Amino acid sequence: MKMNKNWTRLWLLVISLFVLIGLSAQLHAQGEESSLDESAVLEGDYDEGVSFLRQFVIEGGPIVWFVLMPLSFYSCYQAIDLSIKTSREILLPEENTKQLKKIAEKGDKEVIKAAAAKQDDLLSYSLSRAFNLVKTKEVGYMGLQQMVSDVLQERTLEILRKVERLNLTGNISPMVGLFGTVFGMIKSFNTIVEAGGQPDASQLAGGISIALVTTFWGLFVAIPSLFIYGYLRNKLEAMASEAAVEAETVLDKIEGIY
């Protein structure tokens, strides 16, 4: 299972890189082939498809090309990868839970330990890890329960730290967009000064485009990232609580051993 997850992550990364390279090549080709001047844009004499690419990507400048667009692909990759890692089939599969409960009914600690060691989901890992720690510590049933709870919390926090990457991306991208906005406005004000206070609209277009497009991309990256982060965090916390209840159910069946 671990090998399959590694291959999944590798394929997601490769696909993201190919998409980014393809889009970069398209941007370069578009920049060379586009012969639109500012007057044509103002008069509306242009192709809508080309204009969208120009206005929302090309006009954003290097801040969009080399920072915000890579951030968008990174957040997309993380969202897909973390959605897979935090799925119920991986973290709390129903089949494994039922199997551990069935084995626990026999009241054999060693059998439960061996069965839990074969899986890597939240419930199996917490039980297996707790039983291994019992070897080095003299604890009773209550101590074992507390140990399972601690291990489960530790594992949950470990996964949450990975989910935090989306939160970090969602908080950084608006700041990068704001940086582009400030840069674009400074550029526009410099244009006004250079034109003696009466610049043409076309002279201001470059700075205003940078200001607006970088803001657009900052929000475009931040909103989905923060939404998915909140969703995955709530889902993970819910599954961790469920795993704690299931672990207590399993331990209750072997309480007499301790």
Side-chain angles (χ1 to χ4, degrees):
M1 181 180 292
K2 187 174 181 180
M3 181 65 69
N4 291 336
K5 288 191 290 184
N6 290 336
W7 275 108
T8 301
R9 296 182 64 185
L10 179 61
W11 275 112
L12 287 173
L13 180 60
V14 169
I15 291 173
S16 299
L17 287 176
F18 271 110
V19 172
L20 181 59
I21 293 172
L23 186 55
S24 300
Q26 176 66 23
L27 291 177
H28 178 71
Q30 184 64 34
E32 290 185 346
E33 296 175 1
S34 178
S35 60
L36 293 174
D37 55 13
E38 296 296 339
S39 61
V41 174
L42 292 174
E43 293 171 4
D45 186 19
Y46 56 90
D47 180 74
E48 292 183 358
V50 174
S51 174
F52 180 85
L53 180 63
R54 182 181 182 89
Q55 291 181 18
F56 286 91
V57 180
I58 296 176
E59 295 294 341
I63 296 175
V64 170
W65 307 340
F66 300 115
V67 181
L68 290 172
M69 289 189 66
L71 269 178
S72 69
F73 284 105
Y74 174 78
S75 63
C76 181
Y77 163 75
Q78 287 294 333
I80 297 174
D81 183 48
L82 292 171
S83 295
I84 295 174
K85 287 181 177 179
T86 58
S87 64
R88 176 170 290 273
E89 289 75 14
I90 291 179
L91 290 185
L92 197 62
E94 185 177 353
E95 181 179 350
N96 289 352
T97 302
K98 289 181 178 180
Q99 182 180 9
L100 286 174
K101 287 181 179 180
K102 185 176 181 180
I103 294 174
E105 292 177 354
K106 301 177 181 179
D108 192 331
K109 182 184 69 173
E110 294 301 324
V111 176
I112 297 176
K113 178 182 174 182
K118 296 179 182 178
Q119 305 297 333
D120 195 36
D121 56 278
L122 286 175
L123 177 60
S124 299
Y125 177 85
S126 59
L127 289 173
S128 176
R129 177 68 175 162
F131 281 132
N132 287 332
L133 292 174
V134 167
K135 289 182 178 180
T136 59
K137 297 181 180 180
E138 291 296 331
V139 298
Y141 174 73
M142 297 300 295
L144 179 62
Q145 274 190 322
Q146 183 61 45
M147 199 171 293
V148 170
S149 177
D150 292 342
V151 172
L152 181 59
Q153 183 178 11
E154 178 185 346
R155 183 63 182 274
T156 303
L157 290 176
E158 179 184 343
I159 301 173
L160 275 175
R161 281 192 289 270
K162 297 178 181 178
V163 178
E164 282 290 334
R165 298 170 188 171
L166 282 174
N167 187 33
L168 181 63
T169 303
N171 283 284
I172 287 178
S173 54
M175 298 299 101
V176 177
L178 180 60
F179 174 81
T181 301
V182 174
F183 174 78
M185 296 308 298
I186 292 174
K187 183 177 179 181
S188 296
F189 284 122
N190 288 339
T191 301
I192 294 174
V193 173
E194 292 173 359
Q198 294 181 342
D200 294 333
S202 60
Q203 293 178 302
L204 297 174
I208 294 175
S209 294
I210 293 175
L212 296 179
V213 172
T214 53
T215 303
F216 165 80
W217 275 96
L219 296 175
F220 181 80
V221 176
I223 294 173
S225 297
L226 293 176
F227 174 80
I228 296 173
Y229 162 73
Y231 170 76
L232 293 180
R233 182 184 180 89
N234 290 337
K235 184 175 74 169
L236 179 59
E237 290 177 349
M239 281 193 288
S241 298
E242 186 178 344
V245 173
E246 297 293 356
E248 186 175 352
T249 302
V250 172
L251 293 178
D252 285 343
K253 297 181 182 300
I254 59 172
E255 181 176 1
I257 299 177
Y258 295 88

